[in-house]
Amino acid sequence: MRKLLVLIVILSLTSCEYFNVKKTSSEAILKEELETFNWKDVDEYPSFSVCDSSSSKADRTLCFQTTITQHITNYLQEERIVVTQDINDTLMLNFQVSNTGNLSLLEAKIDSLTYYEIPNIKKLLNQSLDVLPKIFPAIKRGQQVTTEFKLPIVMHVN
């Protein structure tokens, strides 16, 4: 009986170790989450209302890029641009869509000949962005986020 009592006491004292809960701080959880978080990718790309019918992420991305490209191209075609030399250039435009859906042109890589022939090209590009339809921002883990992207615009002026 005494041996049984000693065995029960020993088991009860050592079994408490199995019930210890390891506490993890919120900072440790946040640090671990941030290390595994992919900052380069979003769950949903920015979009226009015309892109809502696209089902996959790739289709919505393509629709968004095509809509912006067509809009800028149409705007520039409506403008009366007079040049002394033919221009065949690809403009590399860096955009930012804010978490509120505002589109801004961060940088435009323009060939020196194009810039010489059309000195107000940056102004025209910014004006074309001012009349874009409403943009829905990108979504990352259920939150609207600011995104940046590059888009080539092919320009032919004769």
Side-chain angles (χ1 to χ4, degrees), residues 66-79 128:
T66 303
T67 303
I68 288 182
T69 302
Q70 287 176 345
H71 186 79
I72 292 172
T73 302
N74 292 342
Y75 185 87
L76 291 176
Q77 286 175 350
E78 291 175 4
E79 291 294 315
S128 71

Side-chain angles (χ1 to χ4, degrees), residues 6-21:
V6 170
L7 181 62
I8 291 174
V9 170
I10 290 175
L11 286 176
S12 65
L13 290 176
T14 59
S15 67
C16 290
E17 289 295 318
Y18 298 113
F19 295 113
N20 280 344
V21 177

Side-chain angles (χ1 to χ4, degrees), residues 5 10 18 24 50 54 84 95 109 113 118 120 138 144 146 157:
L5 184 61
I10 290 175
Y18 298 113
T24 306
V50 297
S54 301
T84 59
F95 294 104
K109 292 184 181 178
L113 175 64
I118 313 169
N120 64 338
Q144 296 177 342
T146 300
V157 180

